[in-house]
Amino acid sequence: MHEKYVPELRKDNKPAGFIEYAPGEQAWRAVHADGYEGLTILRTHQCPYLEVATQNIIEAAEKVGVQPKIMHIQDRSQLMELSPTPYGVFHVICNGELISYHRLTARSFAKNLSMLYAKS
């Protein structure tokens, strides 16, 4: 009878040898988080829906009194360096913390952003 294979796990609970397509979030924080003060939108021009997603973040930020910085990712090497997740086309970062990598409505994001800034 064969023993059941149990993969060795790394400290981050991913299997040993797991290949990440972008730096892991912890590694990303160690390298980049200090460079993101305030609200930053990382985005590409890959998907037409990202225009709406970006506008929703800008609208929400204005309601809370925050001016977001928008960084347009131009190529694969920039995406691999800057993206905190494998879903590299859209990220919202607040004071070095990844807070979204998908589209949110302006209303829901304004609510979340208000709570974040109330904590600081």
Side-chain angles (χ1 to χ4, degrees):
M1 179 157 243
H2 297 301
E3 288 185 38
K4 183 177 178 184
Y5 172 72
V6 178
E8 178 184 340
L9 295 178
R10 302 184 322 199
K11 289 181 182 177
D12 60 3
N13 289 327
K14 292 180 181 170
F18 180 84
I19 297 171
E20 295 175 313
Y21 294 100
E25 190 177 343
Q26 294 300 325
W28 177 85
R29 284 183 184 167
V31 174
H32 296 289
D34 290 342
Y36 293 102
E37 292 183 16
L39 187 65
T40 304
I41 302 168
L42 290 176
R43 59 157 300 176
T44 67
H45 291 289
Q46 182 177 348
C47 172
Y49 294 109
L50 296 181
E51 284 301 321
V52 173
T54 301
Q55 285 305 118
N56 287 351
I57 302 304
I58 292 169
E59 181 182 324
E62 288 174 352
K63 288 180 182 177
V64 179
V66 175
Q67 179 66 40
K69 176 182 175 185
I70 301 172
M71 294 179 66
H72 294 278
I73 297 172
Q74 303 297 325
D75 56 34
R76 182 185 182 279
S77 63
Q78 198 178 29
L79 179 128
M80 293 299 288
E81 178 185 342
L82 298 174
S83 179
T85 73
Y87 179 71
V89 298
F90 182 78
H91 296 94
V92 183
I93 301 159
C94 185
N95 296 323
E97 292 290 324
L98 175 66
I99 56 174
S100 182
Y101 57 89
H102 58 84
R103 180 179 166 186
L104 296 168
T105 65
R107 182 178 177 190
S108 67
F109 192 75
K111 183 179 175 182
N112 293 345
L113 200 55
S114 294
M115 290 189 298
L116 276 171
Y117 276 90
K119 291 179 183 178
S120 14

